[in-house]
Amino acid sequence: MKKKFIGIIGIVIIVVVILLVIFLGDKRLDLESDQVQTLYTYLGEVDVNRCGGLNAYTGEEVMYDTISNENKLCMAYYALSDDEKSSESTEVTTTNENDINLCEIGEGIRLASDEDDNTCNYTVISENDLNNAYQKIYGQESPDEESFYISSTEACFLEEGEYYCGNSETSKVTIVPEATVYRLLNSASEKMNGDIVITDYYLRVSNNKCYANNSSNDEISTCSTALEGDTEVTREFVQEYGTLYEHTFKQDDNGDYYWYSSNLK
């Protein structure tokens, strides 16, 4: 009788543990949900000329302080909605020593005209809207920066609470080999501590060679060999040869999620 009672207690304990795992364990999230898709955009751009490219994929742990203020502000700019951007234009007022037509805006902002044109087209955004977008992505207030690039040729300049964004007098040169980047969402889950963790496969292909991150030339030789010939890069190919990354998103005081860190899984 005593053994039977102990056996029943054991079964109850197992059932309780299973229920705790089900209800208190990790909760899988739909990869196609708006929440997951939105958070995934916080990881960066494939285009290296825009916001520094995919800053989260370096092969090492990447956190808030790892990414430059300029690239983070750039990401916040592209997170703004069309309603938060005002398109403006003005006539050329002067020419610099390099014969570039310039438009003088406000007290000290000079934007370059479009090529072979006497007009400067630019965008105006509020400093407050940019800060809100920045806080949404990174969970912190935006840094005090008077200017930042949003592409290799365009920059934003601050004056009296507004940023004026258009063609800059100077270009930001980025020399990188031509490459194609493949990313494939793998999983998304809400952890017991409230964090959301997204994992994905990353693969960079340049000159028919494969690489595991966005910044180094550590080749994945087995992948490069598999690419020889007319091999097509499919989902299955990326899953087999790509590198698995893990991205963590935490909640702010309002319960909204922001990007916290990225690293190899």
Side-chain angles (χ1 to χ4, degrees):
M1 185 72 179
K2 184 176 182 180
K3 289 184 178 180
K4 184 177 180 181
F5 177 75
I6 292 174
I8 292 173
I9 293 297
I11 293 173
V12 171
I13 291 173
I14 291 173
V15 171
V16 170
V17 170
I18 292 173
L19 290 175
L20 287 174
V21 170
I22 292 174
F23 292 104
L24 298 179
D26 295 350
K27 174 187 175 183
R28 293 189 68 83
L29 303 176
D30 182 2
L31 295 180
E32 299 300 323
S33 67
D34 290 341
Q35 182 183 45
V36 171
Q37 291 293 320
T38 297
L39 293 178
Y40 200 51
T41 65
Y42 295 175
L43 300 178
E45 294 271 349
V46 172
D47 185 354
V48 295
N49 292 313
R50 178 183 285 189
C51 309
L54 292 168
N55 297 295
Y57 301 81
T58 68
E60 299 177 353
E61 185 175 42
V62 178
M63 300 186 72
Y64 178 81
D65 290 333
T66 312
I67 303 174
S68 70
N69 287 342
E70 180 167 83
N71 285 336
K72 286 182 290 196
L73 286 166
C74 176
M75 285 292 297
Y77 172 85
Y78 285 107
L80 294 171
S81 67
D82 290 339
D83 292 339
E84 295 171 309
K85 299 176 181 178
S86 173
S87 297
E88 307 287 346
S89 64
T90 189
E91 296 296 317
V92 167
T93 55
T94 188
T95 303
N96 66 12
E97 62 274 14
N98 296 316
D99 292 327
I100 296 175
N101 290 333
L102 301 174
C103 299
E104 297 170 304
I105 302 170
E107 294 299 321
I109 297 174
R110 304 207 312 179
L111 297 176
S113 70
D114 296 336
E115 189 174 358
D116 299 325
D117 196 353
N118 288 320
T119 302
C120 297
N121 296 302
Y122 58 96
T123 300
V124 181
I125 61 173
S126 81
E127 184 180 15
N128 185 57
D129 285 344
L130 185 72
N131 181 62
N132 289 338
Y134 188 99
Q135 204 158 30
K136 190 174 181 180
I137 298 173
Y138 298 109
Q140 301 192 38
E141 288 192 4
S142 59
D144 294 326
E145 297 285 349
E146 296 295 318
S147 64
F148 60 92
Y149 278 90
I150 56 174
S151 74
S152 60
T153 59
E154 300 167 291
C156 294
F157 302 90
L158 179 63
E159 184 176 283
E160 296 183 355
E162 291 186 316
Y163 279 99
Y164 297 82
C165 308
N167 294 327
S168 175
E169 273 192 86
T170 58
S171 298
K172 186 177 181 182
V173 179
T174 304
I175 302 175
V176 294
E178 187 174 335
T180 301
V181 172
Y182 301 91
R183 289 193 299 165
L184 179 62
L185 274 170
N186 177 62
S187 68
S189 60
E190 183 178 337
K191 301 297 182 181
M192 291 180 64
N193 64 358
D195 291 352
I196 286 181
V197 173
I198 296 175
T199 66
D200 67 343
Y201 290 97
Y202 172 97
L203 181 64
R204 176 167 61 94
V205 177
S206 179
N207 294 324
N208 254 26
K209 293 183 179 181
C210 303
Y211 303 95
N213 58 66
N214 200 43
S215 56
S216 76
N217 291 319
D218 296 330
E219 185 182 351
I220 307 173
S221 56
T222 54
C223 175
S224 299
T225 300
L227 270 180
E228 294 176 356
D230 297 324
T231 302
E232 182 182 356
V233 179
T234 61
R235 290 176 59 91
E236 292 73 22
F237 188 95
V238 176
Q239 281 181 313
E240 182 173 356
Y241 295 106
T243 301
L244 192 60
Y245 280 81
E246 181 178 83
H247 313 281
T248 300
F249 301 83
K250 290 186 176 292
Q251 285 180 297
D252 61 19
D253 293 337
N254 297 319
D256 298 319
Y257 283 92
Y258 63 92
W259 173 82
Y260 178 75
S261 67
S262 295
N263 55 270
L264 292 173
K265 183 169 174 61

